[in-house]
Protein backbone atom coordinates (compact mmCIF):
# COMPACT_ATOMS: atom_id res chain seq x y z
CA UNK A 1 0.00 0.00 0.00
CA UNK A 2 1.07 3.58 -0.62
CA UNK A 3 2.04 4.72 2.88
CA UNK A 4 1.71 8.45 2.28
CA UNK A 5 -1.04 11.01 2.67
CA UNK A 6 -1.43 14.18 0.60
CA UNK A 7 -3.07 17.53 1.26
CA UNK A 8 -5.28 17.69 -1.84
CA UNK A 9 -5.12 14.19 -3.30
CA UNK A 10 -6.68 10.99 -1.98
CA UNK A 11 -5.35 7.56 -2.90
CA UNK A 12 -6.97 4.22 -2.22
CA UNK A 13 -6.08 0.76 -3.45
CA UNK A 14 -9.00 -1.67 -3.45
CA UNK A 15 -9.69 -4.92 -5.28
CA UNK A 16 -6.90 -4.43 -7.79
CA UNK A 17 -7.79 -0.80 -8.54
CA UNK A 18 -5.85 2.34 -7.68
CA UNK A 19 -8.27 5.21 -7.06
CA UNK A 20 -6.69 8.66 -7.44
CA UNK A 21 -9.02 11.45 -6.34
CA UNK A 22 -8.37 15.17 -6.63
CA UNK A 23 -9.55 16.44 -3.27
CA UNK A 24 -9.94 20.20 -3.12
CA UNK A 25 -13.69 20.56 -3.72
CA UNK A 26 -13.78 24.14 -2.39
CA UNK A 27 -11.78 25.14 -5.49
CA UNK A 28 -13.36 22.52 -7.77
CA UNK A 29 -10.19 20.42 -7.55
CA UNK A 30 -7.96 22.99 -9.23
CA UNK A 31 -4.38 21.79 -9.54
CA UNK A 32 -1.08 23.36 -8.51
CA UNK A 33 2.50 22.17 -8.97
CA UNK A 34 2.34 20.60 -5.51
CA UNK A 35 -0.82 18.69 -6.37
CA UNK A 36 0.76 17.54 -9.63
CA UNK A 37 3.79 16.16 -7.78
CA UNK A 38 1.46 14.18 -5.53
CA UNK A 39 -0.41 12.84 -8.56
CA UNK A 40 2.92 11.69 -10.03
CA UNK A 41 3.73 9.87 -6.79
CA UNK A 42 0.39 8.06 -6.99
CA UNK A 43 0.73 7.07 -10.64
CA UNK A 44 4.32 5.88 -10.07
CA UNK A 45 3.07 3.62 -7.29
CA UNK A 46 0.29 2.26 -9.50
CA UNK A 47 2.80 1.49 -12.27
CA UNK A 48 5.18 -0.34 -9.96
CA UNK A 49 2.70 -2.16 -7.72
CA UNK A 50 1.69 -5.50 -9.27
CA UNK A 51 -1.52 -5.70 -7.25
CA UNK A 52 -2.83 -2.56 -9.03
CA UNK A 53 -4.27 -3.64 -12.37
CA UNK A 54 -6.37 -0.59 -13.25
CA UNK A 55 -6.35 3.11 -12.29
CA UNK A 56 -9.37 5.39 -11.78
CA UNK A 57 -9.00 9.18 -11.79
CA UNK A 58 -11.81 11.38 -10.48
CA UNK A 59 -12.53 14.55 -8.50
CA UNK A 60 -14.17 15.00 -5.12
CA UNK A 61 -17.29 17.02 -4.40
CA UNK A 62 -19.09 16.56 -7.71
CA UNK A 63 -16.51 18.09 -10.06
CA UNK A 64 -13.68 16.48 -12.00
CA UNK A 65 -11.16 19.34 -12.21
CA UNK A 66 -11.40 23.09 -12.80
CA UNK A 67 -7.89 23.26 -14.27
CA UNK A 68 -5.12 25.44 -12.89
CA UNK A 69 -5.49 27.40 -9.68
CA UNK A 70 -6.01 30.96 -10.95
CA UNK A 71 -5.81 32.48 -7.47
CA UNK A 72 -2.38 30.93 -7.06
CA UNK A 73 -1.43 32.38 -10.47
CA UNK A 74 -2.44 35.84 -9.25
CA UNK A 75 -0.33 35.49 -6.11
CA UNK A 76 2.71 34.71 -8.27
CA UNK A 77 1.98 37.57 -10.65
CA UNK A 78 1.62 40.02 -7.76
CA UNK A 79 5.07 38.92 -6.59
CA UNK A 80 6.56 39.26 -10.08
CA UNK A 81 7.18 35.52 -10.38
CA UNK A 82 6.88 33.77 -13.75
CA UNK A 83 6.66 30.13 -12.74
CA UNK A 84 5.27 28.92 -16.05
CA UNK A 85 8.27 26.85 -17.14
CA UNK A 86 8.49 24.83 -13.93
CA UNK A 87 4.74 24.36 -13.76
CA UNK A 88 4.39 23.24 -17.36
CA UNK A 89 7.32 20.83 -17.05
CA UNK A 90 5.87 19.09 -13.98
CA UNK A 91 2.45 19.05 -15.61
CA UNK A 92 3.89 17.47 -18.72
CA UNK A 93 5.58 14.76 -16.67
CA UNK A 94 2.26 13.93 -15.01
CA UNK A 95 0.40 13.72 -18.33
CA UNK A 96 3.10 11.52 -19.88
CA UNK A 97 3.03 9.15 -16.91
CA UNK A 98 -0.76 9.01 -16.99
CA UNK A 99 -0.79 8.42 -20.75
CA UNK A 100 1.94 5.78 -20.81
CA UNK A 101 1.28 3.77 -17.65
CA UNK A 102 1.06 0.11 -18.67
CA UNK A 103 -2.29 -0.37 -16.92
CA UNK A 104 -5.76 0.71 -18.11
CA UNK A 105 -6.84 4.13 -16.85
CA UNK A 106 -10.40 5.39 -16.43
CA UNK A 107 -11.46 9.01 -15.97
CA UNK A 108 -14.71 9.38 -13.99
CA UNK A 109 -16.03 12.79 -15.06
CA UNK A 110 -18.83 14.80 -13.51
CA UNK A 111 -19.54 18.47 -12.92
CA UNK A 112 -16.79 20.55 -14.51
CA UNK A 113 -13.71 19.56 -16.51
CA UNK A 114 -11.75 22.67 -17.47
CA UNK A 115 -8.26 23.46 -18.71
CA UNK A 116 -5.81 20.78 -17.68
CA UNK A 117 -8.80 18.81 -16.41
CA UNK A 118 -9.61 18.21 -20.08
CA UNK A 119 -6.00 17.19 -20.69
CA UNK A 120 -6.15 14.64 -17.88
CA UNK A 121 -9.43 13.22 -19.15
CA UNK A 122 -7.97 12.78 -22.64
CA UNK A 123 -4.77 11.20 -21.30
CA UNK A 124 -6.80 8.34 -19.81
CA UNK A 125 -7.64 5.26 -21.87
CA UNK A 126 -11.34 5.52 -21.08
CA UNK A 127 -13.11 8.77 -20.20
CA UNK A 128 -16.68 8.34 -19.01
CA UNK A 129 -18.67 11.52 -18.38
CA UNK A 130 -22.12 12.61 -17.34
CA UNK A 131 -23.96 13.94 -20.38
CA UNK A 132 -24.63 17.27 -18.67
CA UNK A 133 -21.14 17.89 -17.31
CA UNK A 134 -19.39 21.02 -18.58
CA UNK A 135 -16.10 20.93 -20.49
CA UNK A 136 -14.09 23.99 -21.44
CA UNK A 137 -10.59 24.17 -22.88
CA UNK A 138 -10.23 27.36 -20.92
CA UNK A 139 -6.58 28.35 -21.37
CA UNK A 140 -7.23 31.13 -23.88
CA UNK A 141 -9.69 32.72 -21.44
CA UNK A 142 -6.78 33.59 -19.15
CA UNK A 143 -4.37 34.51 -21.93
CA UNK A 144 -2.61 31.15 -21.94
CA UNK A 145 -1.95 28.45 -24.52
CA UNK A 146 -3.40 24.96 -23.98
CA UNK A 147 -1.06 22.71 -22.01
CA UNK A 148 -0.99 19.15 -20.76
CA UNK A 149 -0.49 18.01 -24.34
CA UNK A 150 -4.11 18.72 -25.25
CA UNK A 151 -3.19 20.45 -28.54
CA UNK A 152 -1.79 17.14 -29.73
CA UNK A 153 -4.37 14.81 -28.17
CA UNK A 154 -7.38 16.90 -29.20
CA UNK A 155 -6.19 17.25 -32.79
CA UNK A 156 -5.71 13.49 -32.95
CA UNK A 157 -9.22 12.89 -31.59
CA UNK A 158 -11.46 15.51 -33.23
CA UNK A 159 -9.33 16.81 -36.11
CA UNK A 160 -7.60 20.17 -36.55
CA UNK A 161 -10.70 22.17 -37.53
CA UNK A 162 -12.73 21.28 -34.44
CA UNK A 163 -9.66 21.46 -32.22
CA UNK A 164 -8.94 25.00 -33.41
CA UNK A 165 -12.53 26.05 -32.70
CA UNK A 166 -12.51 24.65 -29.17
CA UNK A 167 -9.05 25.95 -28.24
CA UNK A 168 -9.34 29.43 -29.75
CA UNK A 169 -12.91 30.11 -28.58
CA UNK A 170 -12.60 28.82 -25.03
CA UNK A 171 -16.30 28.00 -25.19
CA UNK A 172 -18.12 25.53 -22.96
CA UNK A 173 -19.54 22.26 -24.23
CA UNK A 174 -21.24 19.27 -22.65
CA UNK A 175 -20.13 15.74 -21.96
CA UNK A 176 -22.61 14.56 -24.57
CA UNK A 177 -20.97 16.80 -27.17
CA UNK A 178 -17.48 15.68 -26.15
CA UNK A 179 -18.49 12.06 -26.70
CA UNK A 180 -20.17 12.84 -30.01
CA UNK A 181 -16.98 14.51 -31.29
CA UNK A 182 -14.76 11.62 -30.16
CA UNK A 183 -13.00 13.59 -27.46
CA UNK A 184 -14.02 11.14 -24.72
CA UNK A 185 -15.12 7.51 -24.69
CA UNK A 186 -18.71 7.79 -23.56
CA UNK A 187 -21.31 10.09 -21.99
CA UNK A 188 -24.31 8.81 -20.06
CA UNK A 189 -27.12 10.34 -18.00
CA UNK A 190 -25.81 11.49 -14.63
CA UNK A 191 -27.82 8.88 -12.73
CA UNK A 192 -26.12 6.14 -14.79
CA UNK A 193 -22.55 7.41 -14.48
CA UNK A 194 -21.41 5.41 -11.46
CA UNK A 195 -22.94 2.17 -12.75
CA UNK A 196 -21.28 2.66 -16.14
CA UNK A 197 -17.87 3.43 -14.65
CA UNK A 198 -18.11 0.40 -12.39
CA UNK A 199 -18.62 -1.84 -15.42
CA UNK A 200 -15.41 -0.50 -16.94
CA UNK A 201 -13.58 -0.95 -13.64
CA UNK A 202 -14.73 -4.57 -13.32
CA UNK A 203 -13.72 -5.44 -16.87
CA UNK A 204 -10.29 -3.79 -16.93
CA UNK A 205 -9.20 -4.69 -13.41
CA UNK A 206 -9.73 -8.40 -14.08
CA UNK A 207 -8.62 -8.72 -17.70
CA UNK A 208 -5.34 -9.76 -19.37
CA UNK A 209 -3.07 -7.12 -17.87
CA UNK A 210 0.06 -7.96 -19.86
CA UNK A 211 -1.85 -7.73 -23.13
CA UNK A 212 -3.44 -4.43 -22.05
CA UNK A 213 0.00 -2.99 -21.39
CA UNK A 214 1.37 -4.06 -24.75
CA UNK A 215 -1.70 -2.80 -26.62
CA UNK A 216 -1.32 0.57 -24.89
CA UNK A 217 2.33 0.73 -25.92
CA UNK A 218 1.46 0.00 -29.55
CA UNK A 219 -1.30 2.63 -29.53
CA UNK A 220 0.95 5.27 -27.96
CA UNK A 221 3.84 4.53 -30.31
CA UNK A 222 1.52 4.65 -33.33
CA UNK A 223 -0.88 7.47 -32.46
CA UNK A 224 0.97 9.72 -30.01
CA UNK A 225 4.68 9.81 -30.98
CA UNK A 226 4.69 13.62 -30.89
CA UNK A 227 3.01 14.12 -27.52
CA UNK A 228 6.19 14.71 -25.57
CA UNK A 229 7.53 17.10 -28.22
CA UNK A 230 4.27 19.06 -28.06
CA UNK A 231 4.58 19.42 -24.30
CA UNK A 232 8.18 20.60 -24.62
CA UNK A 233 6.89 23.36 -26.89
CA UNK A 234 4.28 24.29 -24.29
CA UNK A 235 7.02 25.23 -21.84
CA UNK A 236 8.36 28.05 -24.03
CA UNK A 237 4.92 29.17 -25.24
CA UNK A 238 3.41 29.35 -21.76
CA UNK A 239 6.40 31.28 -20.43
CA UNK A 240 5.84 33.94 -23.10
CA UNK A 241 2.11 34.11 -22.37
CA UNK A 242 2.70 34.29 -18.62
CA UNK A 243 4.71 37.49 -19.15
CA UNK A 244 2.04 39.14 -21.31
CA UNK A 245 -0.20 41.99 -20.22
CA UNK A 246 -3.21 40.05 -21.47
CA UNK A 247 -2.51 37.17 -19.08
CA UNK A 248 -2.16 39.56 -16.13
CA UNK A 249 -5.42 41.26 -17.09
CA UNK A 250 -7.25 37.94 -17.49
CA UNK A 251 -6.11 36.61 -14.11
CA UNK A 252 -7.06 39.86 -12.35
CA UNK A 253 -10.44 39.87 -14.10
CA UNK A 254 -11.09 36.28 -13.07
CA UNK A 255 -10.37 37.03 -9.42
CA UNK A 256 -12.44 40.23 -9.58
CA UNK A 257 -15.31 38.40 -11.34
CA UNK A 258 -15.43 40.69 -14.37
CA UNK A 259 -14.78 40.37 -18.08
CA UNK A 260 -11.15 40.92 -19.11
CA UNK A 261 -10.18 43.75 -21.47
CA UNK A 262 -7.45 42.40 -23.75
CA UNK A 263 -4.99 44.75 -25.44
CA UNK A 264 -3.09 42.20 -27.51
CA UNK A 265 0.13 42.74 -25.58
Amino acid sequence: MLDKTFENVLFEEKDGVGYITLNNPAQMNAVTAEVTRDLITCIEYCEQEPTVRCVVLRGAGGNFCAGGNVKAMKERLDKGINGAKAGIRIGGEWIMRLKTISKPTIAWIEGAAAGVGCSMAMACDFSIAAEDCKFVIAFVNIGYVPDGGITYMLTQSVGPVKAAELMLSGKKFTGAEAAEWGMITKAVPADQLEETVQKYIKKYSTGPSVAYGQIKKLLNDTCYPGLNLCMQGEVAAQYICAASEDHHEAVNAFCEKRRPVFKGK
Side-chain angles (χ1 to χ4, degrees):
M1 296 295 291
L2 182 60
D3 56 349
K4 185 175 182 180
T5 57
F6 310 102
E7 184 176 356
N8 291 311
V9 175
L10 297 177
F11 180 81
E12 180 185 17
E13 181 184 347
K14 182 179 179 181
D15 299 328
V17 182
Y19 293 89
I20 303 174
T21 304
L22 294 159
N23 187 38
N24 187 3
Q27 296 192 28
M28 298 173 64
N29 305 314
V31 296
T32 62
E34 292 74 19
V35 169
T36 305
R37 291 187 186 95
D38 293 340
L39 291 169
I40 290 171
T41 299
C42 292
I43 205 73
E44 283 180 332
Y45 173 83
C46 291
E47 178 68 276
Q48 297 167 8
E49 178 52 56
T51 60
V52 175
R53 299 175 64 187
C54 175
V55 178
V56 175
L57 179 66
R58 69 179 304 191
N63 287 295
F64 184 64
C65 175
N69 189 320
V70 181
K71 291 183 179 179
M73 293 179 193
K74 179 170 172 52
E75 291 176 3
R76 290 195 298 271
L77 290 174
D78 289 345
K79 295 176 181 177
I81 299 172
N82 187 340
K85 286 186 177 180
I88 299 304
R89 286 192 181 106
I90 194 73
E93 180 182 351
W94 155 239
I95 293 296
M96 281 301 297
R97 287 180 180 273
L98 181 61
K99 187 67 180 170
T100 60
I101 185 174
S102 63
K103 300 164 185 185
T105 53
I106 302 167
W108 182 335
I109 308 165
E110 56 190 329
V116 76
C118 295
S119 304
M120 290 191 288
M122 294 198 72
C124 290
D125 300 309
F126 305 101
S127 296
I128 318 300
E131 289 176 337
D132 62 353
C133 74
K134 294 296 186 290
F135 284 83
V136 56
I137 303 174
F139 304 92
V140 72
N141 297 334
I142 57 167
Y144 259 176
V145 300
D147 59 38
I150 197 168
T151 301
Y152 191 92
M153 293 186 289
L154 189 65
T155 305
Q156 292 287 95
S157 297
V158 306
V161 174
K162 194 66 180 180
E165 178 196 356
L166 296 176
M167 291 189 293
L168 290 171
S169 70
K171 70 178 184 179
K172 294 179 181 178
F173 51 97
T174 66
E177 289 173 314
E180 179 185 349
W181 300 331
M183 179 178 169
I184 63 173
T185 308
K186 192 172 188 176
V188 298
D191 60 359
Q192 297 176 24
L193 180 60
E194 182 171 0
E195 178 185 0
T196 303
V197 173
Q198 291 297 341
K199 289 180 180 178
Y200 276 77
I201 291 171
K202 183 177 180 180
K203 176 177 177 61
Y204 292 101
S205 64
T206 59
S209 300
V210 175
Y212 288 155
Q214 292 305 305
I215 290 169
K216 287 190 61 170
K217 185 178 186 306
L218 290 169
L219 285 169
N220 285 327
D221 289 349
T222 302
C223 302
Y224 299 96
L227 179 58
N228 192 49
L229 183 62
C230 172
M231 290 194 288
Q232 290 178 35
E234 292 170 357
V235 174
Q238 210 69 295
Y239 183 81
I240 293 170
C241 289
S244 72
E245 292 182 22
D246 281 346
H247 173 62
H248 288 230
E249 164 63 9
V251 169
N252 286 327
F254 179 92
C255 294
E256 295 166 9
K257 298 181 178 180
R258 61 176 175 80
R259 292 181 64 87
V261 179
F262 294 123
K263 298 180 179 178
K265 298 180 180 180

